[in-house]
Amino acid sequence: MTDIATPDGVSDPTASIQDLLDEADTLPCGPDERALLDEALRRAESAGDDEAAYATRLRLTQSAHMTGDTDTMFSSFGWCVGKHDEDPQRFPTTVDGCDLLFQYKWMAGRLSTNPAFSLAQISAMHEDMLARYRAAGATDSGVVQSQFHIASVTGRLDEAASLLERRSAIEDDRYSHCEACVRNEDAWFHQLRGNDDEAIRIYDEMFENRMSCGEEPETSEAQALLPYLRAGRLDDAKAAHQRSYRAARNNADGFGIIADHLVFCAVTGNEARGLTMLERHLPALVNDPINLSGHTDGLVAIGVLLDAVTRAGHGGLPVRGADAPELAHYLGTDDQTSDAWSVAAVAARAWASAERLASAFDERNGNAFRTERLELARALADEQWDLPLSAESFIAPVVEPAAATTAAEWRERTSALLQSADTRGAIVAAEQGLALLSTEPAPDATLGAAFFGVIAQASVIQGDDDRASAAWADRVDALRNAGRTAVADLEERFGPALLGTASAERLTALQAELDEARQVPVDPDRLIHTLVITARHAFELAGQQTEQEPAEEFMGIADRLAGEAVLAAAIDDPGEAGPSARLLHAHLFAVTSRVEESIELLDPLVSPEHRASVRLPALALRTRMLGGSGDFAEGVALADELVALQTTLGNRLGIIQACALSAALLSDADRDREAAARMQLAISHANRAEYADLDALTLQLARYLQFAGDADAALERYDEVYQARREHAAPGELADLLANMGEAARAIGEHGMAYGIWQTALEDASTVGNDPVTIRVGFGLSTLLVQFEDDDAVEVAEQALAAARRLGDPQLLIQALQRKASAQAGFGDDTGLPLYAEARDIAAAHDATWLVADITDSEARALGALGRADEATALARQAASRFLEAGDENGAAVAEVFAARSRAGAGDHAAAVELLRSARSRLPQGSPDWTTVTAELADAHERLEQHTDAALLRAELDA
């Protein structure tokens, strides 16, 4: 018997059928749940247990309905109906909460989604359903609702109106559709009739009352998008789009909802976002091969979106994934022309396929309803609303570089690939170069040596010693053929070990070689080559040391020898070692913070007159140095040069790395939207290069989007990575990602989502003792809980405090102490007050005057929350004084305002006036804070019946 691998990856042959069903009941509808149901059914059928098979198929019908597997749904349902009719006692309508009669409500609707099923067959289904419902003592509500739905989606709107009126007069019962589904179908009917006002009224009522069902409210939110836009309710449309898409994006049967969002992006100027969404979800278009109605709607939405992309000037962009074999029936096959998968081409084929399907439905329905709907969709090209949603932008198509035509060009590409750690690509490119070199009448042996050296280096990195040795021997031969006999002898003596990990013994041997190379008569080629190799060896040894700084002895050797190599190369450089020497010495200077000397060596190497293989590492190092010194604009310019150069060479890994470097500099310069665009370019190349760590790029893009204030788009990207990693993640691995997701969710006002995500993050971080994430999440979650008056905030703050004590970071510990004490005070518990004193002592020990003031201010507010107004006022005054000591006038004013409000609450209005006057004097006249304090001061004078003073203050506000 074949065992099933349960969702946690553990095969359990001892599980009973009921165990499998019970486990399936705990899971959301999807692959894991389906695997359990399939295994339960296999075991039941193998054992000849029809009762167990019946119970399993009832669940399977429900699961298939939710995941859009219409074929399974029909077959499973039909089998159950046959068994029930055969023996109602053995196979009752209801088993473990699954109801065969309830499932009838789904069947006619699914029949309507394929024109192969006639209206007569759908009507027969309703007649059978009606007879069974009446036999069971049910009302006609469920049947009439289903008939109303069918009349609506087949374009018989007058009949639908009559059925709607009839249904409204029937009493609901257990077989009635749920309220959310009923409202959704009612609202959609009104949209079909062109009555958007009534549709909006129903949608608003649904959302206000939080009605929900399996795919609600996200379905209704998606359908409400166009009516909201047409009504001028752009903010509501934006919020509905964001909520609905978040819910639908991981829905196995969600393309019908996604289609509405594609249209929304097309008409709101968010074509780039729409194209990204389409490429992400395109494979799901045909998840359900029977639901041709869904295919039609999806193809229409694709046409609407891609036409908008073309109008935006990007019709030549490729649509990634459009060439998938499963889409060939609609979008064509790979024997098309080279631009077959462009936006414009895919749009044309999508419209053509949609028209063909619409005609088939119209023929079945006996009207032109679907074709008319398609033409209305085309007319959306004339409707446009300006509603920017995110920082996403179009990425120019990836242009493939021209093929290298000379061995010298292959050398540059080979070097670039090796520098980017693409060892496989470097070897392939080197072999291409060697093949081309062999065809030349007078091949350049120096180029051949370079190619063999790259192959040897890449093979060492890959751990292929045999290949490295063979390539090294070929390199030695090539060097001799080039007349570089002394260099060849040196490399032959040491072998490919020169390319491996540096060792002190090898450094000693190289120094002996160097002493010999310095003897008269000097061979410049041998001397410079040996200097560079030995200096690089010493530099690597310095980096291997365990101390915080590189070992001074080795660094000194490397520095001295690299300098000597630069000087020697300036006089005589027969082996082209000069640039390597300069680059190595520049790197040494950069590591030892001798910035000006490093720049002096690097700037000439950055010049376009040098070969690409020289410019690449020089540009990368110079760019990082500019970022380190805060010269972000110049650094970005060089990073973009690096991107362009790598693009010319066709080095995708290099492009990705250069884009990431450019994005980091842009973010450091607070240009996060541009940083996000760079990361999108990197991801575009990564998708084509089968990049191993695409998730890391996506996470970085999410961070830049979040920094740019586009938390909703960031949340989508975080979730994309989370969904990809969640099944295989080790404990604690996702804690940091979840922390980011929670922050993004809270930023867009999804407090419930933030709560759930942060709870998971806290559990994940605690499992592995990840104190930094525990602190970070604890701060965010406790603040959220306090906001919603949930006393669990105290426990969460305690977790964060315990982690901060373990971590030992003074600043984090101070924050944790304050948060814990404030959370306790907020819920009437004064036992946390000593924590403020502890925090103050830590701050004072670090001479952090401002922090002492801030802690004192926090304690004052805690005392206020505990109802201890006199103590609160006294501490707030102390806080104001300490803020002044720290030079923070605004902080002092804020503390005085709190003290004034505390006095006012105690009825001491004279003291309140004094404190407010003091606070007002510290604030810039005319600022929002000054205006607020002035108004409060006027009110305080009124309470003292000092009407003239109050009037004068209000006159200042009116001036």
Side-chain angles (χ1 to χ4, degrees), residues 32 98 116 154 329 368 473 477 538 673 677 862 880:
D32 288 343
C98 292
T154 57
H329 181 63
D477 290 343
R673 287 185 178 275

Side-chain angles (χ1 to χ4, degrees), residues 150-157 188 192-193 358 361-363 365-376:
I150 298 302
S152 296
V153 298
T154 57
R156 296 174 287 133
L157 301 185
W188 182 237
L192 293 175
R193 300 198 85 179
F361 277 104
D362 287 346
E363 184 177 351
N365 298 336
N367 55 33
F369 176 68
R370 293 303 293 257
T371 298
E372 290 169 358
R373 295 288 303 164
L374 186 149
E375 292 307 316
L376 286 173

Side-chain angles (χ1 to χ4, degrees), residues 808-820:
D809 182 291
Q811 189 165 355
L812 288 175
L813 180 55
I814 288 170
Q815 291 182 58
L817 289 164
Q818 286 180 267
R819 288 173 185 272
K820 172 70 178 347

Side-chain angles (χ1 to χ4, degrees), residues 28 107 141 149 173 182 256 303 332 382 444 453 476 528 610 729 743 751 782 825 861-862 870 874 889:
M107 297 303 148
S141 171
H149 170 72
D173 65 6
V182 168
D382 298 324
D444 184 342
V476 169
I528 297 169
H610 281 288
E743 289 167 2
H751 301 302
S782 62
R861 294 169 191 276
D870 291 344
E889 290 271 353

Side-chain angles (χ1 to χ4, degrees), residues 853 876-886 892:
R877 287 180 182 275
Q878 285 183 37
S881 298
R882 286 171 170 161
F883 277 124
L884 289 176
E885 288 177 33

Side-chain angles (χ1 to χ4, degrees), residues 277-611:
M277 290 168 56
L278 173 62
E279 291 178 335
R280 183 182 300 143
H281 298 287
L282 189 52
L285 170 66
V286 292
N287 273 0
D288 186 347
I290 291 179
N291 184 3
L292 299 190
S293 178
H295 296 182
T296 308
D297 292 338
L299 289 164
V300 167
I302 291 169
V304 171
L305 172 69
L306 296 184
D307 279 354
V309 173
T310 299
R311 288 193 299 274
H314 300 281
L317 285 176
V319 180
R320 288 188 300 117
D323 58 347
E326 59 269 27
L327 299 172
H329 181 63
Y330 295 135
L331 301 183
T333 59
D334 59 8
D335 60 357
Q336 306 286 335
T337 59
S338 59
D339 64 347
W341 310 115
S342 70
V343 163
V346 173
R349 293 200 292 276
W351 280 119
S353 294
E355 289 166 1
R356 184 178 72 250
L357 289 171
S359 295
F361 277 104
D362 287 346
E363 184 177 351
R364 193 272 307 268
N365 298 336
N367 55 33
F369 176 68
R370 293 303 293 257
T371 298
E372 290 169 358
R373 295 288 303 164
L374 186 149
E375 292 307 316
L376 286 173
R378 283 191 187 276
L380 288 171
D382 298 324
E383 297 189 62
Q384 190 69 37
W385 293 269
D386 186 19
L387 185 59
L389 294 173
S390 73
E392 290 174 280
S393 59
F394 285 111
I395 300 298
V398 177
V399 179
E400 298 295 339
T405 57
T406 68
E409 289 178 359
W410 275 116
R411 176 178 63 175
E412 299 311 298
R413 297 191 180 193
T414 300
S415 298
L417 291 164
L418 188 59
Q419 288 170 22
S420 299
D422 183 358
T423 54
R424 182 175 62 85
I427 290 172
V428 170
E431 290 172 341
Q432 293 274 7
L434 286 167
L436 187 59
L437 190 64
S438 68
T439 66
E440 296 181 358
D444 184 342
T446 299
L447 279 179
F451 287 131
F452 286 124
V454 166
I455 294 172
Q457 178 73 74
S459 299
V460 166
I461 295 170
Q462 292 178 343
D464 188 345
D465 294 337
D466 291 341
R467 187 172 195 175
S469 296
W472 196 253
D474 289 336
R475 171 177 166 79
V476 169
D477 290 343
L479 286 170
R480 287 203 172 95
N481 290 335
R484 301 177 66 187
T485 305
V487 171
D489 290 344
L490 168 69
E491 295 199 359
E492 186 174 39
R493 282 193 292 276
F494 282 87
L498 279 177
L499 305 174
T501 303
S503 68
E505 294 78 12
R506 196 175 306 121
L507 177 61
T508 300
L510 283 168
Q511 287 174 310
E513 288 280 348
L514 190 54
D515 289 341
E516 185 178 329
R518 289 192 178 106
Q519 301 301 313
V520 178
V522 173
D523 179 344
D525 187 20
R526 177 188 178 190
L527 175 61
I528 297 169
H529 192 69
T530 310
L531 282 167
V532 172
I533 291 175
T534 311
R536 187 176 291 123
H537 216 73
F539 189 26
E540 185 180 338
L541 280 171
Q544 292 175 15
Q545 301 308 294
T546 57
E547 289 80 9
Q548 191 75 16
E549 298 296 326
E552 291 184 8
E553 178 187 355
F554 291 123
M555 187 61 83
I557 294 171
D559 187 359
R560 185 176 66 257
L561 297 182
E564 184 180 345
V566 170
L567 289 174
I571 299 170
D572 190 352
D573 183 15
E576 297 185 339
S580 295
R582 293 179 71 89
L583 183 65
L584 176 60
H585 208 191
H587 198 174
L588 284 161
F589 284 146
V591 168
T592 53
S593 301
R594 295 156 68 182
V595 175
E596 293 303 321
E597 292 166 282
S598 181
I599 292 172
E600 184 179 348
L601 287 169
L602 279 176
D603 280 350
L605 300 181
V606 170
S607 171
E609 69 188 40
H610 281 288
R611 293 187 287 108

Side-chain angles (χ1 to χ4, degrees), residues 211-226:
M211 296 180 188
S212 63
C213 188
E215 292 186 346
E216 291 292 349
E218 56 267 27
T219 299
S220 293
E221 287 172 327
Q223 292 173 351
L225 295 173
L226 282 176

Side-chain angles (χ1 to χ4, degrees), residues 675-859:
R678 292 294 192 285
M679 289 310 300
Q680 286 175 321
L681 177 59
I683 289 170
S684 178
H685 281 278
N687 282 322
R688 290 161 174 80
E690 299 181 1
Y691 188 66
D693 201 4
L694 183 60
D695 283 354
L697 300 179
T698 304
L699 285 175
Q700 198 55 57
L701 171 59
R703 293 297 287 166
Y704 293 142
L705 289 168
Q706 192 168 359
F707 295 155
D710 195 355
D712 196 273
L715 185 58
E716 288 177 18
R717 298 293 185 167
Y718 286 135
D719 188 55
E720 186 179 322
V721 177
Y722 177 69
Q723 296 299 332
R725 291 183 174 180
R726 61 184 301 184
E727 291 185 14
H728 308 292
E733 187 179 329
L734 298 178
D736 190 64
L737 168 59
L738 288 165
N740 291 334
M741 288 179 69
E743 289 167 2
R746 189 175 184 198
I748 60 175
E750 291 286 354
H751 301 302
M753 183 187 298
Y755 170 80
I757 291 171
W758 271 337
Q759 284 277 30
T760 305
L762 201 56
E763 293 169 8
D764 203 34
S766 300
T767 300
V768 294
N770 187 337
D771 289 332
V773 173
T774 297
I775 295 166
R776 178 178 159 203
V777 173
F779 286 175
L781 183 55
S782 62
T783 300
L784 181 65
L785 292 168
V786 167
Q787 179 183 341
F788 288 93
E789 301 180 356
D790 186 333
D791 60 7
D792 284 349
V794 176
E795 182 182 344
V796 173
E798 173 56 40
Q799 281 183 266
L801 176 55
R805 290 192 188 282
R806 289 192 297 269
L807 198 62
D809 182 291
Q811 189 165 355
L812 288 175
L813 180 55
I814 288 170
Q815 291 182 58
L817 289 164
Q818 286 180 267
R819 288 173 185 272
K820 172 70 178 347
S822 296
Q824 287 182 264
F827 295 101
D829 180 0
D830 65 359
T831 60
L833 292 178
L835 297 177
Y836 288 115
E838 182 182 349
R840 231 182 341 262
D841 289 344
I842 297 171
H846 288 80
D847 297 321
T849 306
W850 186 90
L851 273 178
V852 171
D854 183 63
I855 296 162
T856 305
D857 183 65
S858 295
E859 185 174 6

